[in-house]
Amino acid sequence: MRAPVFAAAAVRAAIKQVNPDEPIRRAGPLQNMVEESIAKRKFALYLLGAFGCVAVLLTSIGVYGVISYSLRRRANEFAIRLAMGAGRADLRWLIARNFGAPALGGLLVGLGMAALFARALKSQLYKLSPTDPSVLAMTGVGLLALVVISATGPAAKAERISPARILRD
């Protein structure tokens, strides 16, 4: 089998024999032509993936920071609750309720925005609908998991506070 570069000259000569007036704009291996045709889209998708990873990282840092700051500000409240007989599980439930509601609200707003922009996204997706329930469910679960994972550290720290030390200060 001859290399595709050498075959291109033979293909050009064969086409010229059949129809001398037929212009030959490009000749080469089909694999190269396919790669060239999808190169821009492939680059855009890699770039979109990189931006998505940066967004997840920044979201995690932001959620962690907001929850950590909020729980530090409420240390006196938690100490009083613990001193009055609330258990660690009660404290966990309070923290989950306080941060779960905004997370669910944000998720619902995000689903609404996804529905609004679904038509624009449709041209960018191959064999996938932007309103595909499984994709939306996986995205929602992933975002909620991100919030839970980001909140775990600050919540555990809030549970370990010593009521006597906090109330003494």
Side-chain angles (χ1 to χ4, degrees), residues 1 31 47 72 83 95 136 148 154 168:
M1 183 170 170
Q31 183 66 30
L47 199 58
R72 252 185 285 128
I95 292 169
L136 293 176
V148 168
R168 197 177 26 224

Side-chain angles (χ1 to χ4, degrees), residues 66-68 70-71 74 94-104 147 151:
V66 166
I67 291 175
S68 182
S70 174
L71 293 180
R74 295 175 65 185
L94 175 69
I95 292 169
R97 269 191 325 211
N98 285 338
F99 294 107
L104 287 174
V147 170

Side-chain angles (χ1 to χ4, degrees), residues 41-119:
R41 180 166 283 192
K42 201 175 196 181
F43 175 73
L45 289 175
Y46 282 135
L47 199 58
L48 187 63
F51 286 146
C53 290
V54 169
V56 166
L57 178 67
L58 290 176
T59 300
S60 300
I61 293 169
V63 168
Y64 178 86
V66 166
I67 291 175
S68 182
Y69 175 76
S70 174
L71 293 180
R72 252 185 285 128
R73 299 264 319 193
R74 295 175 65 185
N76 288 341
E77 174 195 345
F78 296 147
I80 291 170
R81 286 178 184 272
L82 289 170
M84 297 297 290
R88 305 282 180 193
D90 297 326
L91 201 58
R92 258 184 261 130
W93 178 244
L94 175 69
I95 292 169
R97 269 191 325 211
N98 285 338
F99 294 107
L104 287 174
L107 186 61
L108 291 175
V109 169
L111 286 172
M113 296 295 283
L116 283 175
F117 293 108
R119 186 175 297 154

